Amino acid sequence: MKALPDFDMVLFGGTGDLAMRKLLPALYQQVKAGTVSPGSRILAAARKPLSREAFLELAEATCKPFLGAAYDADTWRAFAERVSYFPMDVQNPGSYAPLGEALGQHSDRVRVFYYSTSPDFFATISANLGGAGLISARSRVVVEKPLGHDLDSSREINDAVGEHFAERQIFRIDHYLGKEPVQNLLALRFGNVLFEPLWRREWVQDVQITVAEQLGVEGRGDFYEGTGALRDMLQNHLLQLLCIVAMEPPISSDPDAVRDEKLKVLRSLKPFTPADVVTKTVRGQYKTGAVGSKPVVAYAEEPGVASGSRTETFVAVKAEIDTWRWAGVPFFLRTGKRMAEKLAEIVINFRQVPHPIFGEATHGGRANRLIIRMQPDESMRLYLVAKQPGDAMALHPVNLNLDFAESFRDRRLEAYERLLMDAIRGKLTLFVRRDEQEAAWHWVEPILDSWAANEDRPKTYTAGSWGPAASSALLSRDGLAWNEED
Ligand code: NDP
Ligand code: BG6
């Protein structure tokens, strides 16, 4: 791997869940890979009054389980040499001059400010960094999702951050874009001629995008109550995946060329009327059940959840894209907590052959499909039918593994690792542009508004299931079924 330029990274929210589970482990992995120069520095900032030693002790104990076999004491020591801790309240403007002193006068080097705090602080941090003169032309800011809770609040935050950082300095992260199979889907679509002619309404019957989690809200009940599955996952991760599947071939891999195409998809999404919200969306909330044979409590009983909460822990929608390429092809998106399996996949169902000369019964009428799986394993499989050896002309489904993991034995990068490196290198292609993010909010807002205006409660589903029955009905109305039901 190519060495990274010398950098300083300030990790606001450096003691938080995301920093400990994803960001510090990602940086550790890069130290292990030898790409981080000895002069590069990582400065974690949060309110807890910790010494550098106490922070490093906490970080080592917390990150170790997430590093698994990648952890070794020598690499940790090398990583720790680059890390320091700066106790501060981000709301206190007086903390920023000392932060600047801690960073030193290296205005020539890359400086990455990572906002891993509540988005309520993003405007304040930007203003305080700007006020203290800590932002140079080589500075970048990485902002976490969800940015705001609707279009207006996301605009406010974007305006406030944009007063101090130019758009080319703003890295809106969506870690699903950093996942290896998503990169591979881009390679498959735009590095080969084979798929392009098939990648359209004439040959694609429907597309399904599922991100199912077995986890619940994991002690983040307070956060989740004000968020819900649509804002937490669908507005960002699932819509970005839809864009990668549906976009036209960009003219190059330049950030704006790719992001222009994604924006066109978001703008072509058919708007929801209130009547559509009733027929084309499903919201659910899990009740008591069992996940992986372990009993789990209902969402309503999780700490931090209001009694009578109407927050959705599951959402499914039927999206339609009004373009020549995709008119009439439904894109079904669903995501939920406490589902039957941990599963993140994109399924492209191709149409049946126009005239089945072998008879449908021979192969169950099953169409060709391409499955890009991000979780629990990473794979890309193309399903075809082939003749079973023997006398009879019996056809059976087989799959071609297009992932080539066996051919490339390099270590796979975690999504956050790839994206942090891109931010340090200033590569924006896998980050979300402001207009994309706003187009995504614009599209989901009628759903949020209708749900808020509607007295109905989310449909319940048993924890450990595939969601409410209405989710299956969403597809069966079109004579279709989710992949696991097919
Ligand atoms: P946490 O609540 O776990 O962490 C918040 C961090 O902010 C802590 O380090 C906290 O430390 C610090 N903090 C809070 N208030 C202040 C303050 N006034 N001054 C300085 N530091 C402060 O949140 P997460 O890590 O879960 O999430 C961080 C961001 O990342 C959020 O925007 C979230 O939406 C997003 N995100 C999180 C994901 C996750 O898996 N956790 C996934 C995707 C996005 P202290 O209390 O010591 O000040
Ligand atoms: C985050 C959400 O963006 O993605 C979490 O805030 C969710 O609620 C997580 O658990 C899922 O990410 P992954 O990569 O584990 O599927």
Side-chain angles (χ1 to χ4, degrees):
M1 255 182 285
K2 259 177 58 190
L4 292 162
D6 283 355
F7 68 90
D8 290 338
M9 180 176 292
V10 181
L11 211 51
F12 292 105
T15 55
D17 176 69
L18 183 68
M20 292 290 174
R21 273 193 314 118
K22 299 287 185 186
L23 307 179
L24 293 170
L27 292 161
Y28 166 97
Q29 290 281 17
Q30 282 303 302
V31 169
K32 189 166 177 146
T35 62
V36 181
S37 67
S40 293
R41 290 171 311 161
I42 298 150
L43 202 160
R47 284 170 309 182
K48 278 187 197 62
L50 300 173
S51 65
R52 174 170 182 268
E53 290 65 35
F55 172 76
L56 283 170
E57 222 171 276
L58 171 74
E60 186 173 11
T62 320
C63 293
K64 213 168 162 177
F66 300 112
L67 286 167
Y71 172 86
D72 71 79
D74 287 345
T75 311
W76 184 270
R77 223 168 292 122
F79 168 68
E81 275 167 20
R82 293 158 168 92
V83 179
S84 49
Y85 181 71
F86 190 80
M88 69 182 285
D89 184 334
V90 293
Q91 292 178 289
N92 174 11
S95 309
Y96 288 76
L99 175 69
E101 282 159 31
L103 283 171
Q105 292 308 313
H106 293 288
S107 56
D108 54 325
R109 67 157 67 189
V110 170
R111 199 174 259 183
V112 180
F113 298 107
Y114 199 117
Y115 294 180
S116 182
T117 66
S118 156
D120 295 344
F121 294 138
F122 293 179
T124 312
I125 302 176
S126 304
N128 285 334
L129 286 173
L134 299 184
I135 303 171
S136 73
R138 298 202 75 198
S139 296
R140 279 141 216 181
V141 60
V142 184
V143 291
E144 264 299 341
K145 47 78 26 196
L147 198 79
H149 57 271
D150 57 13
L151 181 57
D152 282 348
S153 56
S154 85
R155 278 190 176 139
E156 271 173 37
I157 298 172
N158 274 320
D159 284 345
V161 175
E163 273 185 40
H164 302 279
F165 294 91
E167 182 64 27
R168 65 173 172 76
Q169 295 176 291
I170 304 176
F171 290 67
R172 294 179 193 81
I173 199 161
D174 187 305
H175 75 276
Y176 267 71
L177 291 180
K179 292 188 186 261
E180 185 74 24
V182 178
Q183 306 289 293
N184 216 350
L185 175 57
L186 287 170
L188 184 88
R189 281 199 65 194
F190 304 126
N192 298 288
V193 292
L194 289 184
F195 288 93
E196 171 53 22
L198 302 177
W199 212 259
R200 57 191 63 248
R201 62 190 303 281
E202 288 81 357
W203 302 109
V204 175
Q205 171 189 277
D206 66 286
V207 176
Q208 302 179 7
I209 302 179
T210 296
V211 180
E213 298 184 86
Q214 286 190 317
L215 294 177
V217 288
E218 308 303 299
R220 295 166 79 208
D222 286 340
F223 156 81
Y224 204 81
E225 264 296 270
T227 308
L230 192 137
R231 291 185 176 95
D232 187 37
M233 300 289 291
L234 192 135
Q235 184 273 342
N236 33 75
H237 302 322
L238 278 87
L239 282 184
Q240 284 295 323
L241 295 177
L242 175 143
C243 286
I244 299 290
V245 174
M247 70 185 188
E248 294 296 317
I251 55 164
S252 71
S253 62
D254 274 2
D256 281 336
V258 173
R259 299 184 309 171
D260 285 348
E261 295 308 333
K262 288 198 286 157
L263 178 65
K264 283 187 212 158
V265 174
L266 290 164
R267 289 195 172 148
S268 315
L269 284 167
K270 191 172 186 165
F272 283 105
T273 62
D276 290 334
V277 175
V278 176
T279 55
K280 295 179 184 168
T281 75
V282 176
R283 59 176 163 157
Q285 191 186 85
Y286 61 82
K287 53 184 186 178
T288 307
V291 175
S293 71
K294 211 176 121 235
V296 294
V297 298
Y299 174 71
E301 288 161 38
E302 299 272 11
V305 172
S307 75
S309 165
R310 296 201 306 157
T311 300
E312 80 287 356
T313 59
F314 173 95
V315 56
V317 304
K318 175 181 170 182
E320 290 158 284
I321 302 173
D322 282 341
T323 61
W324 275 35
R325 188 186 283 268
W326 294 118
V329 178
F331 281 67
F332 296 103
L333 315 182
R334 73 178 157 168
T335 181
K337 302 267 185 208
R338 292 281 191 236
M339 306 265 291
E341 284 174 28
K342 178 180 172 72
L343 177 74
E345 67 179 20
I346 301 170
V347 179
I348 318 279
N349 281 317
F350 292 95
R351 295 190 189 282
Q352 299 286 9
V353 292
H355 174 58
I357 62 168
F358 302 113
E360 291 203 355
T362 34
H363 56 92
R366 185 178 278 270
N368 298 136
R369 65 185 55 177
L370 174 67
I371 302 187
I372 300 112
R373 184 170 279 188
M374 291 152 277
Q375 271 157 195
D377 53 317
E378 297 191 335
S379 64
M380 191 178 299
R381 292 203 156 79
L382 180 63
Y383 287 77
L384 307 164
V385 289
K387 181 188 168 296
Q388 191 177 345
D391 250 6
M393 190 60 190
L395 302 192
H396 268 275
V398 291
N399 70 72
L400 293 178
N401 182 350
L402 301 179
D403 199 47
F404 305 118
E406 289 296 306
S407 314
F408 306 112
R409 290 183 175 272
D410 301 348
R411 179 178 71 85
R412 289 185 170 217
L413 297 186
E414 275 277 321
Y416 272 102
E417 202 182 334
R418 181 194 316 282
L419 295 173
L420 276 174
M421 286 204 299
D422 279 1
I424 293 165
R425 294 198 172 110
K427 285 170 63 180
L428 277 160
T429 307
L430 298 177
F431 293 84
V432 180
R433 207 168 55 192
R434 175 176 179 159
D435 47 10
E436 279 182 78
Q437 195 176 51
E438 293 185 355
W441 275 121
H442 181 74
W443 186 68
V444 300
E445 257 193 358
I447 309 179
L448 291 168
D449 291 346
S450 286
W451 285 353
N454 190 324
E455 293 291 290
D456 288 355
R457 300 182 48 74
K459 306 220 170 342
T460 55
Y461 62 99
T462 306
S465 71
W466 281 105
S471 160
S472 302
L474 185 69
L475 277 74
S476 60
R477 281 199 287 275
D478 287 347
L480 302 170
W482 290 109
N483 196 33
E484 79 280 354
E485 297 170 337
D486 202 5

